[in-house]
């Protein structure tokens, strides 16, 4: 069957116009960023930093809605089902690439049911203990754990989160035995860490940095391959004698896969502008975060690669839901 060239050209032009009209019509109402953790954690802090500036850029209200639970999967499941033309977004994180292997009955696919917009920031994790703990180094902590001189429990933001995986890999690398205590987010975890209910955590720098500065928490090492600019005198785990362990936590915005591509493109353009602004970059430096602002396809590749990487780690660590 043959179609006239003019008809094909007209159809193509209509498609382009329709896409442009869609992008221009968005946003038609309030935009919601769903944060799958309680208020006060890094995911929440980054979402709120973006929301205010995005609201000014698009001329519509942008709100943050906290939906914590099940290692960040409850909020993700809610957003995955939405079909509202890009008015509901997810502040996702590396945790979601872990959850794919840990939770066997997820109602969504993180790779297939979301359209990546951009990675907002990379935030180093840090091994911290209470300031009163008798450990000056990671080696001290590991030696005490192996000798069973203490009952060691590490807290995380939930099963299947990056902190859970770091704790798993830390045990595999050091031979230390640690009890995993999952929380719904950084705020309740930090409260218990300060109160002595858990011995240590591998949380992101953002929620613990104020307490480190106040001398209430003691940082022993950062988990990334290089030192953090926010804690330049704190060694990496590798420098501290723990080999082959380099994990950080990225955070980024995603839309449901049903979102029209022109809207995803517009979101990427506006949010990357925000991320690259001097004001936002200073704000990130103050909380220990490293701004990113990449393309949707780059974020999609990152998700694929990390999903595969953590699947192997989950298998090696025999991770189960406590």
């Amino acid at each position: 069957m043959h179609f006239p060239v003019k008809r094909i050209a007209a159809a193509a032009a209509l498609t382009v116009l329709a896409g442009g009209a869609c992008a221009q019509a968005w946003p038609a109402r309030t935009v919601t960023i769903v944060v799958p953790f309680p208020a006060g954690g890094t995911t929440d802090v980054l979402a709120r930093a973006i929301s205010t500036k995005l609201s000014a850029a698009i001329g519509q209200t942008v709100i943050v809605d906290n939906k914590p639970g099940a290692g960040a999967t409850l909020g993700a499941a809610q957003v995955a089902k939405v079909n509202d033309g890009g008015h509901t977004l997810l502040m996702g994180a590396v945790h979601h690439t872990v959850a794919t292997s840990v939770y066997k009955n997820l109602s969504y696919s993180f790779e297939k049911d979301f359209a990546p917009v951009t990675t907002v920031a990379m935030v180093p994790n840090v091994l911290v203990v209470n300031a009163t703990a008798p450990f000056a180094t990671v080696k001290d902590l590991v030696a005490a754990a192996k000798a069973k001189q203490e009952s060691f429990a590490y807290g995380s933001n939930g099963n299947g989160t990056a902190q859970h995986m770091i704790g798993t890999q830390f045990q595999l690398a050091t031979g230390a035995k640690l009890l995993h205590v999952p929380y719904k987010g950084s705020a309740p975890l930090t409260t218990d860490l300060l109160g002595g209910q858990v011995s240590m955590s591998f949380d992101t720098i953002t929620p613990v940095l104020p307490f480190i500065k106040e001398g209430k928490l003691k940082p022993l090492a950062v988990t990334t391959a290089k030192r953090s600019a926010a804690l330049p005198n704190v060694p990496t785990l590798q420098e501290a004698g723990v080999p082959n362990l380099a994990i950080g936590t990225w955070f980024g915005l995603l839309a449901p896969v049903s979102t029209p591509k022109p809207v995803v493109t517009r979101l990427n353009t506006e949010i990357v502008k925000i991320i690259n602004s001097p004001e936002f970059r200073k704000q990130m430096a103050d909380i220990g975060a490293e701004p990113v602002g990449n393309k949707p396809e780059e974020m999609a590749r990152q998700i694929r690669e990390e999903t595969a990487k953590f699947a192997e780690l989950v298998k090696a660590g025999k991770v189960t839901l406590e």
Side-chain angles (χ1 to χ4, degrees), residues 12 31 47 51 93 129 198 211-212 226 237 267 285 298 303 311 315:
V31 173
S51 66
V129 296
V198 289
F211 300 104
I212 291 173
K226 64 178 183 178
L237 278 174
L267 276 164
E298 292 172 331
I303 289 171
K315 185 177 179 181

Side-chain angles (χ1 to χ4, degrees), residues 36-79:
F37 288 107
T42 306
T43 320
D44 181 73
V45 170
L46 292 176
R48 294 181 190 279
I50 288 289
S51 66
T52 303
K53 296 173 177 61
L54 182 60
S55 178
I58 65 177
Q60 273 284 2
T61 301
V62 179
I63 64 172
V64 173
D65 186 12
N66 297 87
K67 296 289 184 182
T73 63
L74 291 183
Q78 175 182 311
V79 178

Side-chain angles (χ1 to χ4, degrees), residues 149-172:
Q149 296 174 356
E150 302 279 351
S151 177
F152 284 89
Y154 78 95
S156 79
N157 279 2
N159 286 303
T161 59
Q163 294 97 315
H164 186 187
M165 291 301 98
I166 293 169
T168 297
Q169 194 167 355
F170 184 83
Q171 292 178 81
L172 291 171

Side-chain angles (χ1 to χ4, degrees), residues 81-105:
K81 299 172 184 176
V82 174
N83 184 3
D84 64 359
H87 291 84
T88 302
L89 308 173
L90 174 71
M91 180 56 85
V94 67
H95 314 301
H96 294 104
T97 64
V98 179
T100 298
S101 297
V102 175
Y103 292 85
K104 301 303 181 183
N105 297 307

